[in-house]
């Protein structure tokens, strides 16, 4: 060490391509390169799907594709209007079902529930989002479909628009509840106090001040719920009957229906690669991708507007203001005509369930009830509203108990040691699910190995290095879009890119890559959040001692952010274990009596095994429930451990 | 001639196990301004919020003792809390207009209490905004968002909003602590105007403000009311040593 002046630099600048690059800059560019992977994937998804769609546009023509109403690819008919309409109808029905329940439950949790029950209720409603899509589909097939068949008069089949909408509605509930609840509880307390201090009742405060103030968040929740419903595949495919027709009449909720996602999932595996049919399916996927992109961008715009509303210092930009005024007007119009909408729905359901004359009577009764509520005193109105909200919360919890309870109760008798350790026999009717369990574990293992490093590094880059430049905005937007992309689109991308283009075939490897890109956004976001929560004092203390930025991150920031990073990784494991659509065109087979060991061999997996048993072997009742239970327990256990970890560390590390 | 509009008798309040008010008794004189002063955390805001039962919305809050308003104990089980709050309005520390238009802010209260005719609402809006000395500044933009007003204007709008349901008493919880000196002096002038028609109770930790605007003052310390009386007497000739030490700035 010299007595005066500087020491020799500890970290010598690097010479790269004849230029001097400082150590921290080299690290920064390396991280940036990894973080760009997300953008590359989004571009690749668009590229592969677009490239595969163009031959279909040339062969069929957009006009025939959008207006034709006969979808019979084997005969050369590619009119997709029925399946596009099917997607819209099922989604519409799902929102009509989910919005009142989700919003009611959100209001209950935020405004009515005693404080100590708030967190437990939120956690319970999050269980809905932990249940794998294929388990919903299975529940729909064995419980909801027969229920509708037996209870709707004149129903000739239970697989229907209504069944699809109910299931999608349940699946959209957690999104609607958690986002609306966030919006409602972030309305400043001072608004509530101002209203109560003038002698308004709690319900008047809720309905006239709090909910209107949170309306942008609630709209965002609804739009996100719509996005979720549009992109959903397995559940909807298993219960809607999949007939590519228009309902007749268009309000016939018991008509079978077919969605874009179901069409992809059903036909993709059976279509000759390179045929017009093959390309037509990619064109459908492109439409799906674009619609979901649009819907998700809309929800982000509305969310941003909400943040600006409670931070009046930030003036919203002009263009979005005008456009969002239109949203506000729409919301007002809906508030104005909500009675008409509600009565219309009551009428359609009553007409379906009973008879046209009964429907008129029931609708009239509902109208009378609505009108009479105007004459209630404020206190009685509050009593009525609060009982209604309590009832809604009870219904939501009951749905959860019914779904989980049904699978647990009927699944337990099917469980045994042999069921876990044996190979399946007689096409799945007998034997166990050993290869499916091992296959799922293999899939998850490789997925995590690929996704965690990519995700964590991208998250660190975004949290600590990314300035607000155009390039980082593109990366962020790519991650958001990746997070919103329907899983079936990932499946198609995996098929086109890994199975066919890179020629990995149906293999573990193709499954790993597909699932890794699917779960990466979750890891990126949780890492970024965890790294940002590390107090800057800690970083500054390390930098002030002469550590480089990268040393500070690896030795100070990451250890402190570790619980957050682990939580994100665990959640991604749960997601990877429960997904079906991304692996069904890339990695899985329905039946194996011995397992291949290599990464180019296909595997069995629990979600796909359940789908296969439920749709192909209807009499293998025990096998179905047993598989569903094992899958459900596996996934819920993974999510539960993430939740426990998060709570544990949130308590411990109170910065 | 003045008389008591509110009488607080032996009031005790707990947040969970934590006693925040200890045996507080004091009168509030009609058409006067009563100031509550004391160091942070002494219970003055808590006492204020007892008077229109805003503490009810805090979980784990328990009250004993009585507050008489028009010869009835507001803590008796028969009390219509909504009706009480209509009679005893409140202005908060930070201006808290609703994220609605100026007009809608003022009509919110009347509508909640069943006034629906357009003419009645229009006249309430004009009258209340005039009373809160804001009319000249906003009369031509009543449809604009209340969020577009300055902090001082927002607070005067909140006063107009409180007046809109014709209260008898107005509780002010440090209403100028978030405002600049000019906006503060406007609110102080307004308080003087208001006492002609209303009774005002104001919490402040600004002793100059208390001596400038109030007729009566109560000094609180650690949940107890140490002393109360005419403002001149409290400030010029306090009976308790603690009061004297506080107002001469030796602690607090």
């Amino acid at each position: 060490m010299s007595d005066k002046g500087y020491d020799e630099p500890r970290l010598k600048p690097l010479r790269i391509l004849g230029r001097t690059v400082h150590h921290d800059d080299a690290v920064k560019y390396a991280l940036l390169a990894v973080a760009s992977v997300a953008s590359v994937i989004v571009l690749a998804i668009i590229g592969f799907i677009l490239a595969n769609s163009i031959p279909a546009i040339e062969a069929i023509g957009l006009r025939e594709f959008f207006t034709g109403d006969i979808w019979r690819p084997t005969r050369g008919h590619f009119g997709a209007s029925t399946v596009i309409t099917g997607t819209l109808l099922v989604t519409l029905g799902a929102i009509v079902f989910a919005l009142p329940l989700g919003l009611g439950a959100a209001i209950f949790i935020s405004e009515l529930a005693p404080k100590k029950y708030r967190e437990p209720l939120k956690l319970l409603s999050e269980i809905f989002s932990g249940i794998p899509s294929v388990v919903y589909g299975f529940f729909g097939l064995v419980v909801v479909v027969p229920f509708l068949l037996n209870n709707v008069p004149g129903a000739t089949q239970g697989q229907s628009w209504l069944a699809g909408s109910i299931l999608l509605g349940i699946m959209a509930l957690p999104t609607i509840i958690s986002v609306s609840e966030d919006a409602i509880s972030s309305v400043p307390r001072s608004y509530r106090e101002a209203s109560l201090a003038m002698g308004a009742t709690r319900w008047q405060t809720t309905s006239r001040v709090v909910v209107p103030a949170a309306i942008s968040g609630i709209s965002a929740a609804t739009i996100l719920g719509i996005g979720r419903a549009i992109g959903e595949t397995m559940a909807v495919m298993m219960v809607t009957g999949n007939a590519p027709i228009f309902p007749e009449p268009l309000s016939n909720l018991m008509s079978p229906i077919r969605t874009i996602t179901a069409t992809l999932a059903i036909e993709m595996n059976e279509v000759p690669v390179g045929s017009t049919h093959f390309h037509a399916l990619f064109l459908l996927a492109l439409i799906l991708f674009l619609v979901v992109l649009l819907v998700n961008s809309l929800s982000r715009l509305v969310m941003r507007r909400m943040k600006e509303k409670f931070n009046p210092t930030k003036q919203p930009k002009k263009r979005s203001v005008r456009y969002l005024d239109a949203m506000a007007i729409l919301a007002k119009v809906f508030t104005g005509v909500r009675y008409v909408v509600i009565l219309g729905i009551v009428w359609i359901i009553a007409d379906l369930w009973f008879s046209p004359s009964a429907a008129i009577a029931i609708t009239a009764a509902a109208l009378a009830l609505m009108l009479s509520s105007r004459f209630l005193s404020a206190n009685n109105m509050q009593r009525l509203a609060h009982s209604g909200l309590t009832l809604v919360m009870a219904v939501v919890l009951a749905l959860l108990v019914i779904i989980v309870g049904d699978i647990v109760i009927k699944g337990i008798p099917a469980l045994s040691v042999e069921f876990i350790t044996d190979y399946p026999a007689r096409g799945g009717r007998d034997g166990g699910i050993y290869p499916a369990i091992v296959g799922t574990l293999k899939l998850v293992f490789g997925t995590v190995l690929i996704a965690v490093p990519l995700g964590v590094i991208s998250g660190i880059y975004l949290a600590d290095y990314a300035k607000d430049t155009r390039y980082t905005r593109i990366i962020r937007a790519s991650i958001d879009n990746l997070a919103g992309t329907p899983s079936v689109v990932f499946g198609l991308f995996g098929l086109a890119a890994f199975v066919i283009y890179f020629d990995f075939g149906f293999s573990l490897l193709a499954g790993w890559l597909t699932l890794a890109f699917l779960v990466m956004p979750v890891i990126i976001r949780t890492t970024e959040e965890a790294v940002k929560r590390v107090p800057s004092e800690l970083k500054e203390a390390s930098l002030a001692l002469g550590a480089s930025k990268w040393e500070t991150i690896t030795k100070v920031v990451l250890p402190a952010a570790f619980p957050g990073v682990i939580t994100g990784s665990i959640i991604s494991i749960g997601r990877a274990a429960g997904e079906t659509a991304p692996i069904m065109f890339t990695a899985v087979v329905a039946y194996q009596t011995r397992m291949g060991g290599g990464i180019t061999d296909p595997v069995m997996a629990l979600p796909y095994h359940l789908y296969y048993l439920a749709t192909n072997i209807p009499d293998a009742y025990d096998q179905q429930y047993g598989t569903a239970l094992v899958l459900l327990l596996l996934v819920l256990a993974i999510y539960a451990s993430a939740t426990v970890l998060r709570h544990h560390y949130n308590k411990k590390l109170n910065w | 001639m003045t008389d008591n509009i509110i009488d607080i008798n032996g009031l005790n309040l707990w947040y969970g196990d934590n006693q925040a008010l200890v045996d507080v008794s004091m009168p509030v004189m009609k058409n006067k301004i009563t100031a509550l002063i004391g160091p942070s955390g002494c219970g003055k805001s808590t006492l204020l919020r007892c008077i229109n039962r805003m503490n009810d919305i805090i979980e784990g809050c328990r009250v004993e003792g009585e507050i008489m308003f028009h010869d009835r104990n507001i803590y008796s089980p028969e009390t219509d809390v909504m009706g009480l709050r209509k009679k005893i309005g409140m202005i908060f520390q930070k201006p808290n207009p609703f994220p609605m238009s100026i007009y809608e802010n003022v009509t919110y209260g009347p509508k909640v209490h069943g006034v629906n005719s357009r003419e009645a609402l229009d006249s309430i809006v004009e009258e209340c905004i005039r009373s809160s000395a804001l009319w000249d500044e906003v009369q031509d933009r009543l449809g604009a968002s209340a969020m577009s007003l300055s902090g001082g204007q927002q607070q005067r709008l909140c006063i107009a909003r409180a007046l809109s349901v014709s209260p008898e008493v107005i509780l002010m919880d440090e209403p100028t602590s978030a405002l600049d000196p000019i906006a503060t002096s406007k609110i102080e002038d307004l308080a003087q105007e208001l006492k002609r028609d209303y009774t005002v109770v104001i919490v402040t930790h600004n002793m100059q403000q208390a001596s400038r605007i109030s007729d009566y003052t109560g000094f609180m310390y650690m949940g107890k009311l140490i002393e109360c009386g005419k403002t001149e007497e409290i400030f010029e000739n306090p009976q308790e040593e603690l009061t004297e030490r506080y107002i001469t700035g030796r602690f607090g």
Side-chain angles (χ1 to χ4, degrees):
Chain A
M1 214 187 268
S2 59
D3 290 338
K4 52 187 175 180
Y6 300 107
D7 294 343
E8 277 292 292
R10 191 167 43 91
L11 301 161
K12 293 201 176 66
L14 308 169
R15 300 281 302 174
I16 296 172
L17 299 175
R19 285 162 66 185
T20 309
V21 179
H22 285 288
H23 186 80
D24 265 341
D25 283 342
V27 171
K28 183 170 110 186
Y29 291 122
L31 295 186
L32 174 63
V34 175
S36 306
V37 168
S39 303
V40 173
I41 297 167
V42 170
L43 283 179
I45 291 179
I46 296 173
F48 270 99
I49 292 180
L50 194 63
N52 277 302
S53 309
I54 289 170
I57 300 175
E58 284 167 355
I60 304 163
L62 283 178
R63 194 191 151 88
E64 160 67 12
F65 191 77
F66 281 109
T67 58
D69 57 4
I70 299 172
W71 179 266
R72 206 173 294 152
T74 47
R75 296 284 174 81
H77 294 293
F78 293 101
S81 66
T82 50
V83 293
I84 295 171
T85 311
T87 289
L88 297 179
L89 291 180
V90 171
T91 304
L92 181 73
I95 290 305
V96 167
F97 179 81
L99 188 57
L101 285 183
L103 185 55
I107 296 175
F108 181 90
I109 293 172
S110 161
E111 304 294 301
L112 221 60
K115 220 179 193 164
K116 59 181 170 182
Y117 294 126
R118 248 173 246 170
E119 281 305 312
L121 283 174
K122 278 202 256 183
L123 279 180
L124 279 176
S125 53
E126 270 176 27
I127 295 181
F128 280 113
S129 59
I131 300 174
S133 163
V134 66
V135 173
Y136 277 111
F138 172 64
F139 173 81
L141 195 61
V142 294
V143 177
V144 177
V145 165
F147 176 82
L148 292 179
L149 181 63
N150 296 331
N151 288 280
V152 178
T156 50
Q157 69 162 15
Q159 294 189 321
S160 58
W161 172 11
L162 183 59
S165 287
I166 291 174
L167 277 178
L168 283 190
I170 296 174
M171 295 174 76
L173 270 182
T175 310
I176 295 182
I177 293 177
S178 74
V179 180
S180 312
E181 201 276 335
D182 266 359
I184 293 169
S185 57
S186 65
V187 170
R189 188 190 158 89
S190 65
Y191 293 178
R192 295 184 178 84
E193 294 201 328
S195 171
L196 291 173
M198 302 179 72
T201 61
R202 278 167 70 198
W203 171 243
Q204 283 170 327
T205 304
T206 304
S207 62
R208 298 181 188 207
V209 176
V210 177
V211 170
I215 200 74
S216 9
I218 295 168
S219 325
T222 313
I223 299 169
L224 280 175
I226 290 174
R228 174 101 208 258
I230 291 179
E232 178 46 48
T233 308
M234 300 313 291
V236 77
M237 160 168 76
M238 289 163 82
V239 300
T240 50
N242 298 320
I245 55 170
F246 294 117
E248 189 67 44
L250 204 58
S251 66
N252 179 9
L253 289 168
M254 289 311 291
S255 165
I257 213 168
R258 183 195 266 212
T259 64
I260 297 176
T261 52
T263 308
L264 298 177
I266 294 165
E267 297 179 5
M268 203 68 221
N269 269 341
E270 291 160 7
V271 60
V273 173
S275 63
T276 304
H277 186 187
F278 177 84
H279 294 302
L281 292 178
F282 274 90
L283 184 53
L284 276 180
L286 182 67
I287 293 166
L288 183 68
F289 181 78
L290 293 178
V291 170
V292 171
L293 194 71
L294 190 75
V295 166
N296 287 337
S297 312
L298 193 64
S299 75
R300 273 201 298 284
L301 202 65
V302 177
M303 295 271 237
R304 200 179 313 148
R305 150 89 169 186
M306 182 175 71
K307 283 193 190 126
E308 281 157 359
K309 194 164 167 184
F310 293 136
N311 283 328
T313 45
K314 267 195 188 166
Q315 285 302 320
K317 286 190 191 117
K318 273 272 152 48
R319 194 160 42 95
S320 65
V321 170
R322 207 175 312 135
Y323 161 77
L324 284 159
D325 281 346
M327 290 287 295
I329 291 168
L330 262 180
K332 274 202 174 135
V333 168
F334 176 75
T335 324
V337 299
R338 65 189 191 276
Y339 291 124
V340 180
V341 173
I342 293 169
L343 288 175
I345 293 163
V346 168
W347 189 78
I348 290 179
I349 292 174
D351 185 46
L352 182 74
W353 223 261
F354 305 105
S355 65
S357 51
I360 292 169
I362 290 171
T363 312
L367 180 65
L369 195 71
M370 281 174 185
L371 291 179
S372 64
S373 75
R374 304 198 137 232
F375 301 105
L376 285 177
S377 72
N379 276 325
N380 286 334
M381 188 62 215
Q382 163 156 316
R383 242 167 253 147
L384 186 69
H386 284 186
S387 339
L389 290 173
T390 312
L391 182 69
V392 164
M393 190 73 232
V395 168
V396 170
L397 292 179
L399 285 171
L400 186 64
V401 169
I402 291 171
I403 296 171
V404 175
D406 180 72
I407 287 167
V408 170
I409 290 170
K410 293 182 187 152
I412 282 177
L415 290 192
S416 64
V417 176
E418 294 76 41
F419 187 68
I420 307 291
T421 59
D422 278 359
Y423 277 82
R426 293 177 55 228
R429 285 174 192 81
D430 267 334
I433 53 170
Y434 176 67
I437 294 176
V438 173
T440 287
L441 294 180
K442 276 185 185 169
L443 277 170
V444 166
F445 181 75
T447 300
V448 168
L449 228 51
I450 298 168
V452 168
L454 285 178
V456 170
I457 292 173
S458 304
I460 292 172
Y461 175 79
L462 287 177
D464 261 1
Y465 285 89
K467 302 203 176 70
D468 190 23
T469 62
R470 172 179 296 180
Y471 195 71
T472 55
R473 276 202 297 274
I474 291 175
I475 294 181
R476 278 179 203 283
S478 306
I479 293 165
D480 283 343
N481 289 328
L482 213 51
T485 300
S487 59
V488 70
V489 173
F490 276 100
L492 250 69
F493 166 67
L495 173 69
F498 307 129
V499 177
I500 298 171
Y501 186 81
F502 291 114
D503 204 16
F504 298 153
F506 257 57
S507 61
L508 199 51
L509 182 60
W512 283 349
L513 290 166
T514 311
L515 283 175
F517 296 147
L518 176 89
V519 301
M520 211 173 66
V522 178
I523 304 175
I524 297 178
R525 281 180 179 169
T526 43
T527 303
E528 185 186 356
E529 209 175 288
V531 168
K532 276 189 172 160
R533 279 183 54 185
V534 176
S536 57
E537 291 85 358
L538 229 56
K539 296 177 199 171
E540 282 164 10
S542 163
L543 291 172
L545 289 169
S548 73
K549 192 163 179 177
W550 178 243
E551 285 167 335
T552 303
I553 286 174
T554 49
K555 294 183 179 146
V556 176
V557 175
L558 265 190
F562 192 66
V565 175
I566 289 291
T567 308
S569 307
I570 296 178
I571 292 173
S572 73
I573 295 177
R575 182 89 198 271
E579 280 288 354
T580 317
I583 53 174
M584 66 193 287
F585 320 131
T586 55
V588 293
V589 289
Y591 191 64
Q592 271 180 332
T593 47
R594 59 179 201 88
M595 282 186 281
I599 59 169
T600 52
D601 291 318
V603 290
M604 283 180 71
L606 286 171
Y608 188 70
H609 189 59
L610 175 59
Y611 167 68
Y612 168 75
L613 291 178
T615 52
N616 288 300
I617 313 186
D619 52 336
Y621 190 75
D622 276 353
Q623 311 292 323
Q624 293 169 1
Y625 266 108
T627 310
L629 181 57
V630 171
L631 178 59
L632 187 68
L633 289 181
L634 180 70
V635 173
L636 289 186
I638 292 169
Y639 283 126
S641 60
T643 306
V644 169
L645 200 71
R646 194 176 63 202
H647 271 246
H648 180 68
Y649 280 100
N650 276 354
K651 254 185 218 158
K652 208 164 153 187
L653 304 174
N654 230 335
W655 302 115
Chain B
M1 281 301 96
T2 60
D3 47 358
N4 304 0
I5 185 166
I6 291 170
D7 266 305
I8 302 169
N9 294 326
L11 198 71
N12 288 285
L13 179 143
W14 291 264
Y15 293 126
D17 295 330
N18 208 347
Q19 186 160 14
L21 291 179
V22 184
D23 202 24
V24 174
S25 299
M26 73 178 284
V28 174
M29 300 298 174
K30 194 169 181 202
N31 292 103
K32 297 288 176 197
I33 298 180
T34 303
L36 293 172
I37 60 171
S40 298
C42 68
K44 53 194 193 298
S45 286
T46 302
L47 177 61
L48 190 79
R49 293 168 64 97
C50 281
I51 302 176
N52 69 346
R53 289 189 56 174
M54 283 299 281
N55 283 325
D56 288 15
I57 60 177
I58 295 169
E59 268 182 58
C61 171
R62 189 161 55 85
V63 178
E64 278 173 15
E66 57 176 29
I67 297 181
M68 302 303 290
F69 174 60
H70 287 306
D71 300 325
R72 273 197 290 182
N73 179 11
I74 66 166
Y75 277 99
S76 84
E78 300 95 75
T79 304
D80 165 19
V81 180
M82 308 306 147
L84 173 77
R85 289 180 186 154
K86 183 169 178 289
K87 289 283 166 211
I88 305 182
M90 190 163 206
I91 308 298
F92 297 84
Q93 199 167 357
K94 250 182 83 189
N96 57 351
F98 298 130
M100 309 170 183
S101 71
I102 296 170
Y103 184 90
E104 286 168 322
N105 262 280
V106 183
T107 56
Y108 176 79
K111 277 184 174 170
V112 156
H113 292 292
V115 178
N116 280 315
S117 98
R118 182 82 195 191
E119 301 87 69
L121 291 174
D122 282 349
S123 75
I124 289 174
V125 168
E126 178 167 353
E127 191 185 318
C128 294
I129 297 183
R130 275 188 195 283
S131 307
S132 69
L134 189 62
W135 183 251
D136 294 341
E137 291 155 67
V138 303
Q139 57 168 318
D140 48 0
R141 50 175 180 138
L142 293 175
S145 163
M147 298 310 202
S148 65
L149 299 175
S150 71
Q153 289 174 324
Q154 288 188 1
Q155 195 62 301
R156 279 178 282 150
L157 177 64
C158 290
I159 293 174
R161 186 176 64 187
L163 299 181
S164 68
V165 290
S166 1
E168 295 174 31
V169 181
I170 298 172
L171 309 174
M172 296 187 173
D173 188 359
E174 301 192 24
T176 61
S177 65
L179 303 181
D180 62 63
I182 294 170
T184 299
S185 82
K186 282 189 182 162
I187 302 282
E188 288 182 5
D189 292 346
L190 181 56
Q192 295 295 342
E193 293 288 316
L194 290 175
K195 77 174 179 182
R196 248 183 286 155
D197 300 311
Y198 309 92
T199 303
V200 176
V201 184
I202 181 168
V203 163
T204 174
H205 58 216
N206 176 340
M207 276 178 291
Q208 282 74 34
Q209 184 170 62
S211 68
R212 269 198 304 270
I213 66 170
S214 70
D215 304 297
Y216 292 84
T217 297
F219 168 61
M220 296 187 67
Y221 183 66
M222 291 181 70
K224 292 183 186 136
L225 182 72
I226 304 300
E227 187 171 358
C228 71
K230 285 220 157 93
T231 298
E232 312 90 87
E233 284 168 18
I234 295 283
F235 276 87
E236 275 153 30
N237 188 20
Q239 301 299 306
E240 301 287 331
E241 199 204 328
L242 209 54
T243 317
E244 191 187 342
R245 281 174 54 202
Y246 181 71
I247 59 175
T248 53
R250 270 178 281 163
F251 83 100

